[in-house]
Amino acid sequence: MKELAEIWSELLGLPPDEIPHDVGFLRLGGDSVLAVRMSALVRKRLGVTLALSDVRVETTLGELAELVRRRASGEPTPRALPITVTARPDPHAEFPLLPLQQGYFVGQQDGWELSYDSAHYYLDYALTDVDGDEAADALADALERLAVHQPTLRARVTSDGRQHVLPMAAPGAVPQVRVYDLREAGAEEIAAVLRDVRQEMSTRGPDPTSGPGLDLRLTLLPGGEGRLHQGLSLLVFDGWSSSVLSRDLLTFVADWNAALPPLEIHFGDYVTSLADLPATEAWQADRDWWWSRLDALPGPPALPLAADPQEVRPVTMGNREHRWSAESWAALRQQCTSRGVTPSTAMLTAFGVVLARWAGHRRMLLNSLQLNRLPLHPDVQRVVGAFAATMLLPLDLDPRATFAELATAAQAASGEHAAHNLITGVEVGRELARRRGSWRPVGPVVFQSVLGVDAAMGGGPPQDAGPLGRVVASDYFHQLRTPQVALEVRCFELGPEMVAVFSLVDELFENDQVAAAFAEFVALVDGLADGTGWDRVPGLPEATDPGSDDGGLRLGLLPEPVVRHREGPPADDLEQAVADVFEELLEVPVLDRAADFFGLGGDSLLAVRAVVRLAKEVGTSVPVREFLADSTVAGVALAVRSRLGDQR
């Protein structure tokens, strides 16, 4: 108990002898992100592995002590994960993409509606007191040392959707720093260069299929100022990793002789170990739990659309952004603690209320982004990689409930679904789409919160970076490109402040509707911070599910193409070639020209491999989007025939 009290003391900033044994982690100031950190510390210091579903925000110190005792004594539990992560014999050997990585990879092949040629996040922020003569060399040296410490910086993705890490000595393995020296430039030139750099890095992100997944640049400005630019491929880095990367990088920049504790494992070791996951009772139980609920899941919020997503080719996602002061953010945290909900849950509930009013119905399916770092090794939290996963989350908002009651229900639902995290949202979405016969995204509206990450990492990122000067994180510019996402809210901390951003495909929505929805969201959160919004009944629509009587385009109610082909054996040599490729990849007999690739057990990554294989067999490449639109033997053969005709 003493060791656990010390861990809670470190996480919560409370004296260990003042932590009660019968008060929940949340009531003492904890949250779900700190709970992840707690699991890692328990494993590191006590040698006891806890499943993420074991450590709920409502857990008391006494309950945690009993759980640790049972785990340490070897008592069997259904959530036990008998998986050991060890360093692979060949650190450069290929290993598979995780499910969310697969989704991003397919999106980069223009496989989905709302696709981009690079799935990535761009960020730049201000620097002051920069040593213009030393900064570039210090940054380049730090990046090279970081590429040794974090091999994922040298990751590449193959054309058929696998990943590997290049040796340090391989040509182009380590990302290179590009420097713009504008110390003698005038205001107009500076503005033009920054505009062009942001445009380029926002719209042409790093692509690990052809080079590094990190694009790092430095702009030197007059008066010892500067900007650090980062482009991060979502195929390589998740949100937690971007924070780890930034902290490690600035640590190396600040001190030429800095040395970080070595990592015993890396991302490839972790991913390889997950091959044993489907054989565990916990994984099978999670799959059964999700599969038993699929048919009852609602659709996404039926938001009115200005265009069919199939017809839109977005370049970047637009942002609507609001920043809450340190005082408002502190007040919101205090209100959440007193109400027994996490700040992330409060933001999720506010988002759900806004969506319900906008869509005109109160039952909906949201997609949420999860850290998803299973506590299989003490170093997991320090490793850079694309660990993140999505989780599908149904909301059913009671129109008679107060906001506090809605938030309590949302927290319970979110906790219940997160307790079955061994099956990711991508995998659930595939099965759901297969059952519904749909090729459109099942979860195009996303909630993402990283509130509490700084605390979970032991404090905010470094502000002093040696020759790079001082980081001014509050002065930033950012852009996001996420395939299959129509609208996403992102909540994060910025020093003592909180920020929420609506990132969306502008072409899909009427601007006045977006502006009204975002203003409503901000007003709801303001009411939570000042305490006036919790006991109000928000005024939700009575309709449980969307109607379809207005004739307009609505998300989740868009037309699906009806594809029917005459059944029977392949009609010609081309259809037989397609059937042979299906058989080779899916390892099942394919005897019917109407057989569907996904109905036979295929997924989007295998579809990309089928396209690559077909190109070798028949001499032409079918766009992935056309393959997904009609993935039957006859349909794919028809697409190939059309391409061959175009070539002639």
Side-chain angles (χ1 to χ4, degrees):
M1 182 76 77
K2 178 182 177 182
E3 293 87 350
L4 293 175
E6 289 175 350
I7 290 174
W8 279 35
S9 172
E10 180 180 327
L11 294 172
L12 301 172
L14 300 172
D17 56 354
E18 294 183 11
I19 297 176
H21 295 181
D22 58 351
V23 177
F25 189 64
L26 174 62
R27 290 285 183 179
L28 295 173
D31 57 32
S32 55
V33 179
L34 280 176
V36 173
R37 175 69 174 159
M38 183 214 304
S39 295
L41 290 176
V42 168
R43 162 124 193 190
K44 182 177 182 179
R45 297 180 186 177
L46 303 180
V48 175
T49 300
L50 301 175
L52 294 182
S53 57
D54 289 334
V55 187
R56 309 288 285 273
V57 292
E58 299 86 0
T59 299
T60 67
L61 189 61
E63 291 168 341
L64 181 63
E66 174 61 17
L67 175 62
V68 169
R69 184 199 65 76
R70 285 190 282 112
R71 284 293 169 87
S73 67
E75 294 181 23
T77 68
R79 295 298 299 180
L81 291 177
I83 295 174
T84 301
V85 184
T86 57
R88 297 178 300 154
D90 180 2
H92 308 300
E94 290 186 353
F95 57 100
L97 298 176
L98 292 180
L100 187 56
Q101 288 181 291
Q102 295 173 18
Y104 291 145
F105 175 74
V106 174
Q108 290 195 174
Q109 321 302 313
D110 193 35
W112 312 116
E113 59 185 45
L114 307 180
S115 288
Y116 306 89
D117 55 9
S118 61
H120 77 283
Y121 178 64
Y122 169 73
L123 169 70
D124 69 60
Y125 52 77
L127 306 167
T128 61
D129 302 322
V130 178
D131 183 338
D133 295 327
E134 298 288 341
D137 288 341
L139 184 59
D141 175 79
L143 186 57
E144 184 159 350
R145 284 187 286 158
L146 185 58
V148 175
H149 179 65
Q150 297 280 8
T152 305
L153 269 68
R154 298 177 265 127
R156 298 293 187 273
V157 176
T158 64
S159 62
D160 65 345
R162 294 181 64 80
Q163 57 190 325
H164 61 103
V165 172
L166 294 176
M168 277 292 295
V174 179
Q176 300 298 302
V177 178
R178 190 181 306 183
V179 179
Y180 304 92
D181 191 344
L182 302 178
R183 286 177 287 177
E184 304 299 326
E188 289 187 7
E189 181 183 357
I190 290 171
V193 170
L194 285 178
R195 182 183 62 247
D196 291 346
V197 170
R198 286 170 172 168
Q199 173 69 13
E200 178 189 350
M201 295 186 71
S202 295
T203 59
R204 293 204 300 274
D207 183 0
T209 66
S210 57
L214 171 67
D215 185 357
L216 191 65
R217 308 186 191 185
L218 173 65
T219 300
L220 300 174
L221 299 170
E225 297 188 345
R227 296 198 78 87
L228 188 62
H229 311 260
Q230 301 177 38
L232 299 132
S233 170
L234 301 181
L235 270 168
V236 178
F237 306 103
D238 59 15
W240 182 277
S241 293
S242 68
S243 294
V244 172
L245 183 150
S246 181
R247 292 160 192 262
D248 288 356
L249 180 67
L250 293 177
T251 297
F252 281 141
V253 173
D255 183 355
W256 296 85
N257 298 310
L260 295 171
L263 295 166
E264 294 181 4
I265 63 162
H266 298 296
F267 184 56
D269 306 322
Y270 175 91
V271 174
T272 301
S273 74
L274 297 184
D276 297 328
L277 197 57
T280 65
E281 292 183 17
W283 184 92
Q284 294 166 13
D286 281 4
R287 180 198 54 196
D288 293 345
W289 188 91
W290 279 106
W291 266 222
S292 69
R293 287 161 172 77
L294 282 178
D295 294 334
L297 289 179
L303 302 177
L305 299 175
D308 188 326
Q310 186 183 3
E311 307 300 327
V312 170
R313 292 293 188 270
V315 177
T316 60
M317 302 177 78
N319 290 331
R320 311 291 189 276
E321 186 166 330
H322 185 81
R323 189 181 299 188
W324 282 268
S325 68
E327 293 76 17
S328 293
W329 173 219
L332 177 59
R333 292 199 307 273
Q334 184 178 13
Q335 288 285 343
C336 289
T337 298
S338 68
R339 300 282 179 166
V341 299
T342 66
S344 292
T345 297
M347 302 300 278
L348 167 65
T349 308
F351 188 47
V353 168
V354 169
L355 291 172
R357 292 173 175 170
W358 189 0
H361 64 99
R362 55 185 175 80
R363 198 173 78 101
M364 66 192 72
L365 185 67
L366 300 185
N367 217 340
S368 64
L369 204 62
Q370 306 290 308
L371 295 177
N372 206 49
R373 292 178 179 237
L374 301 180
L376 303 177
H377 189 280
D379 283 347
V380 165
Q381 304 301 323
R382 298 197 298 126
V383 172
V384 164
F387 292 84
T390 57
M391 179 183 76
L392 295 182
L393 178 62
L395 289 183
D396 192 349
L397 303 173
D398 184 347
R400 291 163 294 281
T402 65
F403 189 95
E405 291 168 337
L406 292 172
T408 299
Q411 183 156 293
S414 181
E416 182 185 20
H417 286 73
H420 302 278
N421 66 316
L422 299 182
I423 304 296
T424 71
V426 171
E427 294 164 297
V428 175
R430 286 173 181 164
E431 178 62 20
L432 183 59
R434 183 178 289 119
R435 293 190 187 189
R436 292 179 175 175
S438 173
W439 55 273
R440 291 184 182 269
V442 299
V445 179
V446 178
F447 174 80
Q448 179 184 171
S449 172
V450 291
L451 297 174
V453 163
D454 284 349
M457 288 187 165
Q463 293 183 319
D464 294 313
L468 277 187
R470 187 170 180 81
V471 174
V472 186
S474 60
D475 181 358
Y476 66 91
F477 175 89
H478 63 143
Q479 288 283 357
L480 178 68
R481 302 211 304 178
T482 310
Q484 292 188 283
V485 174
L487 169 64
E488 174 175 335
V489 65
R490 291 180 286 126
C491 306
F492 57 91
E493 291 171 279
L494 194 63
E497 301 178 330
M498 181 185 71
V499 181
V501 182
F502 274 21
S503 289
L504 64 148
V505 178
D506 279 323
E507 298 92 329
L508 289 181
F509 303 101
E510 298 292 350
N511 183 63
D512 59 341
Q513 294 183 5
V514 175
F518 189 63
E520 185 177 349
F521 178 78
V522 171
L524 276 172
V525 177
D526 285 342
L528 300 179
D530 67 24
T532 61
W534 292 93
D535 296 320
R536 291 176 180 168
V537 176
L540 293 164
E542 286 293 331
T544 303
D545 296 305
S548 56
D549 56 354
D550 62 359
L553 292 173
R554 286 185 172 268
L555 202 63
L557 300 176
L558 295 164
E560 299 272 3
V562 179
V563 178
R564 291 190 178 90
H565 296 285
R566 175 177 52 82
E567 297 179 353
D572 54 28
D573 291 344
L574 181 55
E575 289 190 3
Q576 186 60 57
V578 173
D580 290 344
V581 169
F582 282 21
E583 285 192 358
E584 177 186 336
L585 291 173
L586 303 178
E587 299 180 346
V588 296
V590 181
L591 306 176
D592 188 347
R593 65 191 301 271
D596 181 81
F597 187 81
F598 297 98
L600 295 169
D603 57 40
S604 57
L605 179 60
L606 286 174
V608 173
R609 292 177 179 168
V611 167
V612 173
R613 188 80 181 94
L614 273 171
K616 295 178 181 178
E617 293 292 326
V618 302
T620 190
S621 180
V622 175
V624 176
R625 187 177 295 215
E626 291 186 19
F627 185 104
L628 298 179
D630 184 356
S631 54
T632 62
V633 170
V636 173
L638 185 62
V640 170
R641 191 172 288 111
S642 173
R643 289 282 154 176
L644 291 172
D646 290 344
Q647 289 177 3
R648 289 195 296 268

